Amino acid sequence: MKTPIGIFLFIFSILLNLYSFLIHGHNDFLNTTQISFIATLIWIVSVLVFGFSIFVLYPDKNKLNLSDDFNLKEKILMTLIFTIALFLRLYKIDHQGLYLDEWYWLTNARSILDGKINSPFGFIGDQPSNMPAYFVAFLLLIVRDNYLAVRFASLSYSLLTILLLMYFLKDAFNKKIALISMLLISISVWDIHMSRIGWSNVNINPFLISGSIFFLYRGLKQYSKRSIFIAGVFLGISINLLYIASLGVIAAALYFLYHFFFDKKKRTILSLFFLFVLSTFIVSSPTFVKIYRYPRLSIQRHKNFFSENVTLSKNQGGIKYYIIQLQLALKDFNFSKAKYTIIGLWGITIEPIVIISMLIGILYILRFIYKPQHILMFLFFMIMFIPIVILNRFSSIWREYGFLPTIYGFAAIGANAIILKSSQLTDNVIFLFSKKRFAYLQKLYLTIFVVILMISFIYYFSRYYQNLLKNEPDIYETYCKKTARYISATFPKSTLILLPNELCNNLISAVLSKEYPTDQYESYNDIRKHSPKNVVIVRIADSGYTNKFIKQNPSPIFEENIKNFFMLNRRISITGNNDKIYAILYEGKVN
């Protein structure tokens, strides 16, 4: 009975998805409309029904039981490592003020909750997809805190990446390599830092890449249509985001090609490939419509990066230019203490012990490159050079975050190779081989590796702490954060907050919007028009964002001029490091 139902649901879901595809063809992706809501709803139902039909039609012989093969001690160890990872990412997670990109995600999340946005196929800022904003909206609904909502999304992606990579390495190699990878990423200062910044279009990529790798490998290893469907979901979402994880489609296609040539069950491979392509399309079909109708907003940015590199290559020696770009990309793998002082998003930032382990892991992979799991890792590693070699690097160094799963996967494999080789060499010196003693030697060298790794982590994390966590960074976003928190803790909720027409208007109003009425000003008339209200006028310390009106009216002149129409109750200075004035607040009544 399951088969006829499954076939019906399978066909029905495809027809439903095609109907959604046609409706999206008439949809205005730039505005919220009733059509966009209907089209999105039909798309969601089609994806769910399609997935359900796959699970009905193809019961898995090898069920996905993530606790398989781990004994009690290993589960306790995994829990301990995961707890450490969670603590390191939660610690001072709201330390920095909101960034502009975080404001984009937070504002869209609030608009989703308010019903002003009803489609995950819109645009956000200069980004081609607003889909990650839905997860931020979900978190905002739960935690009710702006800083935590936008950053818990990044934290979640980081933790899920740790788990997905670990389970892939367990399936593809062994438990020891899997647990080593879990420890390596959990205490990765690079990942800890990146998971604390809520740039959802960037931070989601390692998670999507790890999921694609895990389920592609599992699907083709076990000929599991369920796993292939889930892999298609990961790649489909990646296409929807139109960011670096979508390059996984190239790696997936080449991996299927490898299996087609070397696997005896060619018909099975073809059927799995068909299902993978169909699953990916079902999940990403509205995005193809969006690209067709809005190519400039969807992919023009990537086309520009490509065109810029083509132009530069013509002016700088053709292929030689790309060789230089590749050299620059490889140099980014070098260790540098200066990387631990960067406040914003980081490029590749790995410690010497990780670099050594990674290089040994790559050599091991290349030595046995014919193995499926090695091919898969190597493909996903190589495609991540495209955004930083083929496309103009510009200032988008954070594209390198896509390397994270394969870097730490290689490092775990390399660490295991070091432990095994050291144990073999020691055993050869002793001349009395026994399985019991060899197992003891492996535990000994594993302990030594973990001790060295922890010493390295403590040293570099302490540098990171001193540079970025101990004191608030002296940046504009911090000024806005402290101002918003002071206002929230000090003034009655009915007080009108007047913010200068500059970036702080967005960053502060995003935090206060549910508590206080806000407005912006860029002239004295903009303040005078609020007579006879009680207001708080905000002036943020001078920076590159300061607007023309504020620059032309320094504090003494500004204070003298507003006396004509403003009854000042008190003047408040918000200070930070070394008593530097971050902002000045004028509380009073407009006459």
Side-chain angles (χ1 to χ4, degrees), residues 446-466:
L446 175 60
T447 303
I448 292 171
F449 177 83
V450 171
V451 169
I452 295 171
L453 181 64
M454 295 308 297
I455 292 171
S456 169
F457 163 72
I458 291 168
Y459 175 74
Y460 291 110
F461 186 80
S462 65
R463 292 184 66 88
Y464 171 67
Y465 176 83
Q466 290 293 328

Side-chain angles (χ1 to χ4, degrees), residues 375-523:
I375 284 282
L376 184 60
M377 288 187 70
F378 190 70
L379 286 172
F380 271 90
F381 177 71
M382 293 304 295
I383 61 167
M384 285 301 112
F385 282 98
I386 293 175
I388 55 175
V389 176
I390 305 300
L391 304 184
N392 191 347
R393 292 163 63 86
F394 190 51
S395 59
S396 302
I397 196 70
W398 51 81
R399 296 178 199 156
E400 294 177 348
Y401 197 37
F403 280 107
L404 184 130
T406 49
I407 283 177
Y408 284 99
F410 288 147
I413 294 166
N416 184 63
I418 293 170
I419 292 163
L420 283 174
K421 196 64 180 176
S422 300
S423 302
Q424 289 169 356
L425 290 172
T426 305
D427 205 63
N428 290 338
V429 170
I430 297 173
F431 292 115
L432 294 170
F433 177 80
S434 72
K435 287 185 178 180
K436 188 175 181 180
R437 186 175 63 246
F438 188 69
Y440 168 78
L441 288 172
Q442 286 190 71
K443 290 180 181 178
L444 174 64
Y445 282 110
L446 175 60
T447 303
I448 292 171
F449 177 83
V450 171
V451 169
I452 295 171
L453 181 64
M454 295 308 297
I455 292 171
S456 169
F457 163 72
I458 291 168
Y459 175 74
Y460 291 110
F461 186 80
S462 65
R463 292 184 66 88
Y464 171 67
Y465 176 83
Q466 290 293 328
N467 293 330
L468 298 179
L469 295 184
K470 185 176 181 180
N471 299 311
E472 292 176 321
D474 186 11
I475 57 174
Y476 184 83
E477 288 80 5
T478 302
Y479 308 163
C480 298
K481 172 194 166 188
K482 291 205 71 172
T483 302
R485 289 198 163 174
Y486 183 88
I487 291 171
S488 183
T490 306
F491 300 109
K493 303 303 180 186
S494 59
T495 307
L496 174 63
I497 311 299
L498 298 181
L499 300 162
N501 184 19
E502 57 188 67
L503 180 59
C504 76
N505 176 51
N506 296 333
L507 302 186
I508 294 176
S509 62
V511 177
L512 299 179
S513 62
K514 288 295 183 181
E515 300 179 7
Y516 293 85
T518 62
D519 200 359
Q520 62 184 22
Y521 69 90
E522 52 184 342
S523 69

Side-chain angles (χ1 to χ4, degrees), residues 55 60 62-66 160-161 163-169 171-172 206-237 252 255-256 259 272-273 275-276 279-280 376 380:
F55 277 71
D60 251 350
N62 302 296
K63 291 188 178 179
L64 183 61
N65 190 338
L66 298 180
L160 289 169
T161 299
L163 293 176
L164 285 168
L165 182 62
M166 184 206 54
Y167 284 118
F168 161 69
L169 292 172
D171 273 12
F207 160 63
L208 293 173
I209 291 166
S210 300
S212 300
I213 292 173
F214 175 44
F215 286 103
L216 269 174
Y217 175 74
R218 186 178 180 86
L220 284 165
K221 177 188 177 184
Q222 301 178 353
Y223 306 115
S224 167
K225 289 183 171 62
R226 290 185 177 185
S227 292
I228 288 298
F229 162 71
I230 298 172
V233 171
F234 273 95
L235 265 298
I237 293 172
Y255 188 57
F256 270 103
H259 272 277
L272 290 172
F273 179 69
L275 178 60
F276 172 74
S279 301
T280 304
L376 184 60
F380 271 90

Side-chain angles (χ1 to χ4, degrees), residues 255-290:
Y255 188 57
F256 270 103
L257 192 63
Y258 161 83
H259 272 277
F260 180 76
F261 281 116
F262 294 101
D263 198 307
K264 293 179 180 179
K265 298 182 178 180
K266 298 190 186 303
R267 291 182 65 180
T268 303
I269 298 301
L270 283 174
S271 68
L272 290 172
F273 179 69
F274 171 75
L275 178 60
F276 172 74
V277 171
L278 186 58
S279 301
T280 304
F281 176 79
I282 291 284
V283 175
S284 61
S285 57
T287 295
F288 292 105
V289 180
K290 185 168 78 171

Side-chain angles (χ1 to χ4, degrees), residues 309-325:
N309 252 15
V310 170
T311 303
L312 288 169
S313 67
K314 288 178 180 178
N315 297 332
Q316 299 180 33
I319 193 67
K320 184 179 178 181
Y321 170 79
Y322 290 103
I323 293 172
I324 293 170
Q325 295 304 300

